[in-house]
Amino acid sequence: MSLLRVNWLERGTIEGVKVLLVEDDQSIADSVSASLTTAGMVVEHVATGKASIDYFVDDICDVVLMDLGLPDMDGLDAAKKIRETSSVPIIIVSARGDELDRILGLELGADDYVVKPFSQRELLARIRAVTRRASDHVATKDVSLLKRLHVDEPTHIVTLDGNEIEFTAKEFDLLSFLASEPGVVFRRNDILEHVWDTPWYGTTKTLDAHIASIRKKLGSPDWIQSVRGVGFKFVEVEL
Ligand code: CA
């Protein structure tokens, strides 16, 4: 986590958040840039997938807004590439609602998505949601009693039997939230509210996709058990 992020998380605002805007349409880029800058964010704009990947070679940012339709490559491929080296929150910007299944199906680890045309308010809410997560559950949970799994809030590092497992920012929040109280069943709505900040259409599907991905990474579906009609509970799987 960058120092910048720690500072603004503590302030609880999105002021000073550094956004990498990946958008080839100059007029959209201009209007989004203007909105974000007005809200106090710092915007870096690139127009190609390659430029967005190159950006991370020697720079960092707090959140990526990734357009799907880029001139040189699919935005999802660029996002995947970025994900190989960075756990930065990525918000996919899609022109069509019917692309959602495709976005969710790829398990690329996007943290959220917005569909064009989106309002400034919606976009700011998304950015706020994906970026404030890191400060959300700190100091309220004690996952130290788990034997095999260690979820470290300050560093966002998760280890299973001593081996580090890479989770996306959202997956980390979700796992950390559920693992904070092993055996306790959390309702879907409560999970959505805590982890995604605000319930909105399509989020239930997003939740399921994230649960599936976490189970896969932990090597067993038993870590997060579905409770029919209610929600999910975390259970530490014995060796
Ligand atoms: Ca485009």
Side-chain angles (χ1 to χ4, degrees), residues 1-126:
M1 188 186 297
S2 69
L3 272 180
L4 173 69
R5 186 177 295 174
V6 171
N7 288 337
W8 61 254
L9 279 174
E10 281 172 354
R11 291 203 309 275
T13 79
I14 50 177
E15 213 174 304
V17 169
K18 193 170 167 191
V19 179
L20 178 66
L21 173 63
V22 189
E23 172 63 70
D24 61 312
D25 184 318
Q26 191 61 45
S27 64
I28 293 177
D30 287 345
S31 82
V32 170
S33 286
S35 294
L36 301 184
T37 306
T38 302
M41 287 181 251
V42 178
V43 179
E44 303 262 9
H45 173 226
V46 295
T48 64
K50 183 176 186 308
S52 73
I53 296 164
D54 290 348
Y55 176 88
F56 284 91
V57 171
D58 48 23
D59 218 334
I60 54 165
C61 65
D62 297 300
V63 60
V64 176
L65 284 185
M66 177 68 74
D67 182 32
L68 272 193
L70 295 168
D72 59 334
M73 64 197 293
D74 191 308
L76 288 176
D77 292 330
K80 259 193 256 179
K81 208 74 189 154
I82 290 171
R83 189 52 90 228
E84 284 174 10
T85 60
S86 170
S87 61
V88 65
I90 300 176
I91 299 176
I92 297 291
V93 180
S94 163
R96 303 201 325 265
D98 59 9
E99 286 176 323
L100 297 184
D101 284 341
R102 188 173 148 241
I103 296 169
L104 291 175
L106 283 179
E107 291 186 39
L108 83 139
D111 296 279
D112 210 339
Y113 53 85
V114 291
V115 177
K116 290 177 185 171
F118 48 82
S119 68
Q120 176 188 339
R121 194 174 155 180
E122 184 187 5
L123 182 59
L124 292 180
R126 291 281 187 276

